[in-house]
Amino acid sequence: MSKLPDVGTTIFAVMSQLAQDCKAINLSQGFPSFEPPAELIDRIDHYLRSGANQYAPMTGVPSLRRAIAGKVARMQGRSLDADAEITVCTGATEGLFSAIQAVVRPGDEVIVFDPAYDSYEPAVTLAGGRTQHVPLAISDNGFDFSIDWQRLEDALNDETRLVIVNFPHNPTGAVLSAEDLRQLAELLQDTGAYLLSDEVYEHIVFDGKPHVSALSVDELWERCLVVSSFGKTYHATGWKVGYCMAPEELSAEFRKVHQFTTFAVNTPVQHALADFLQSNPAFHERLPAFYEEKRDLFCRLLEDSRFRLHPARSTFFQIVDYGDISDADDVTLAKRWTEELGVASIPLTVFCEQPFTGTRLRFCFAKDDETLEAACEKLSRL
Ligand code: PMP
Ligand code: GLN
């Protein structure tokens, strides 16, 4: 008897494999076609050749934890204890998994917002918890997603152990404002629920908007685990280095799981990241303009197509509505267009308990211009 009877292979693996098999342009799984900064690669090379090849400390290399603390203090105004409140983990994926195992007990309820990133629910199920799906609200124009506060209030109850938020949001690009976080804090105030905030796209927010982190709100921090990743920020999704920040007691629980999920993260990359954060503290500041240009190019290239879209507010994903082209369901169509048109995308309904997102697909625009041009040329034929 399977422990995850309703779980198949993740859509990201399925679509990337199909894209490869069909030699399609892969705008499905989210990864950049650009290289990480050369200086960062040089530092890894340096550490590989100077003996940093054995286990790192279980909680992460101290210089990296200190560098993360420095960045959080500068950006979010929160002063973290690098020894007690920051743990380096194997990508955000492990951070999320370990966080969920650390706090969710059998019978507990966990609230996620649909469309929800696909790693949350299986982790909750393995911990013996139940996932409650609260759909995000969709604006009248069909493209802006936001938390429906009434639905969240209705969903919260005595069994709620954890609420998981992911802003900047994959796949919709929705972001939270300071006012939203205040509302969230108010709703959680009298509950026993923890908050898990997945902020891996923290540095990819557009149109001059700031990213407002759960770290910046005192009332949330007390009950919060914040997970981020270096994968998106340094164009290095394959390195799988992330981190989890939580108050001391929660971090201690997180570490009890982390030590047996992964023990420690690879050593040379951690040292190199610590050096790079020190020498290039403002590297992430170039990301909004860089990805905004990609987003704008992608949207412009589809201007004369039959897709409907509104430029994404964050992340490196663009949602498009294909309702004027086909009434097929999104999973069927994503596969069909990978096979027949040669462009792979991600359907949204796989992230939802109820298929309320309709005729929408997600395309990754973290690609060089030629790739985006070739893909949009094909998409414009539809
Ligand atoms: N959360 C979200 C919302 C993501 O999109 C991703 C992957 N892109 C992750 C977590 C996992 O991050 P990592 O690759 O660092 O494990
Ligand atoms: N987060 C990436 C995406 O949304 C995929 C990560 C993965 O494949 N696990 O496309």
Side-chain angles (χ1 to χ4, degrees):
M1 173 57 179
S2 171
K3 291 182 72 178
L4 296 171
D6 302 324
V7 174
T9 302
T10 167
I11 191 71
F12 304 117
V14 169
M15 292 310 299
S16 270
Q17 185 63 51
L18 188 63
Q20 199 178 332
D21 294 346
C22 301
K23 298 189 172 42
I25 300 173
N26 189 1
L27 305 190
S28 64
Q29 189 181 27
F31 59 89
S33 68
F34 338 106
E35 290 303 309
E39 183 185 329
L40 181 49
I41 292 177
D42 285 346
R43 294 314 291 162
I44 297 177
D45 187 60
H46 164 78
Y47 284 110
L48 277 169
R49 291 172 196 282
S50 54
N53 294 306
Q54 308 312 327
Y55 293 128
M58 181 271 278
T59 59
V61 163
S63 56
L64 180 56
R65 283 187 277 107
R66 281 197 299 272
I68 294 167
K71 185 175 163 196
V72 167
R74 280 194 309 278
M75 296 196 61
Q76 313 298 343
R78 178 159 305 282
S79 149
L80 296 179
D81 179 340
D83 290 327
E85 297 182 320
I86 300 174
T87 309
V88 181
C89 49
T90 308
T93 307
E94 190 253 318
L96 294 163
F97 188 83
S98 295
I100 291 167
Q101 301 312 311
V103 301
V104 178
R105 303 159 305 190
D108 283 343
E109 279 192 15
V110 177
I111 293 177
V112 303
F113 295 94
D114 282 1
Y117 188 63
D118 70 346
S119 78
Y120 308 149
E121 181 161 12
V124 172
T125 308
L126 288 174
R130 280 194 312 276
T131 305
Q132 235 198 315
H133 294 256
V134 175
L136 290 175
I138 309 183
S139 63
D140 290 343
N141 70 15
F143 287 95
D144 278 329
F145 290 71
S146 58
I147 294 181
D148 183 329
W149 298 109
Q150 189 57 54
R151 287 186 98 139
L152 174 59
E153 191 173 346
D154 294 346
L156 284 164
N157 66 67
D158 291 347
E159 319 269 88
T160 310
R161 176 73 167 173
L162 180 67
V163 175
I164 305 179
V165 290
N166 163 221
F167 296 94
H169 186 251
N170 176 13
T172 69
V175 291
L176 289 186
S177 65
E179 170 58 19
D180 289 325
L181 283 181
R182 201 196 52 73
Q183 283 253 28
L184 184 60
E186 203 174 299
L187 279 182
L188 295 185
Q189 186 177 306
D190 297 323
T191 73
Y194 293 108
L195 179 70
L196 173 56
S197 184
D198 175 352
E199 303 187 6
V200 300
Y201 298 100
E202 60 182 322
H203 297 308
I204 313 180
V205 181
F206 306 135
D207 308 313
K209 294 269 166 38
H211 163 61
V212 196
S213 170
L215 285 164
S216 65
V217 182
D218 289 342
E219 297 77 12
L220 289 176
W221 170 245
E222 296 160 9
R223 58 174 78 238
C224 199
L225 301 113
V226 177
V227 169
S228 194
S229 171
F230 292 108
K232 329 287 165 193
T233 304
Y234 296 130
H235 311 319
T237 60
W239 293 354
K240 299 298 294 185
V241 185
Y243 48 101
C244 176
M245 297 164 286
E248 183 164 356
E249 262 178 56
L250 264 180
S251 281
E253 292 305 309
F254 176 89
R255 289 170 175 186
K256 287 182 192 173
V257 180
H258 161 78
Q259 65 185 339
F260 297 122
T261 316
T262 200
F263 182 67
V265 176
N266 91 73
T267 311
V269 175
Q270 286 194 68
H271 282 291
L273 284 166
D275 288 357
F276 192 77
L277 274 162
Q278 192 76 31
S279 58
N280 291 268
F283 179 86
H284 61 269
E285 287 173 11
R286 67 186 70 174
L287 294 182
F290 176 77
Y291 276 121
E292 199 166 310
E293 221 173 286
K294 295 283 172 202
R295 175 200 69 173
D296 291 346
L297 174 67
F298 186 74
C299 292
R300 205 166 51 245
L301 289 166
L302 288 184
E303 221 162 50
D304 296 327
S305 75
R306 291 201 289 155
F307 290 103
R308 284 188 294 120
L309 56 84
H310 279 239
R313 294 185 188 279
S314 68
T315 76
F316 43 53
F317 304 116
Q318 178 63 49
I319 300 294
V320 306
D321 190 323
Y322 62 80
D324 294 340
I325 302 173
S326 170
D327 52 15
D329 72 85
D330 61 349
V331 176
T332 304
L333 210 59
K335 290 185 175 162
R336 186 187 302 157
W337 283 346
T338 304
E339 289 160 353
E340 296 175 6
L341 185 70
V343 184
S345 59
I346 294 287
L348 259 61
T349 56
V350 298
F351 305 122
C352 306
E353 188 178 52
Q354 301 294 331
F356 77 109
T357 52
T359 50
R360 292 183 180 82
L361 293 172
R362 187 198 84 174
F363 290 91
C364 173
F365 55 74
K367 306 292 170 192
D368 53 81
D369 292 358
E370 296 70 38
T371 304
L372 295 178
E373 279 158 15
C376 290
E377 191 273 317
K378 287 172 184 284
L379 292 167
S380 298
R381 286 184 213 153
L382 290 163

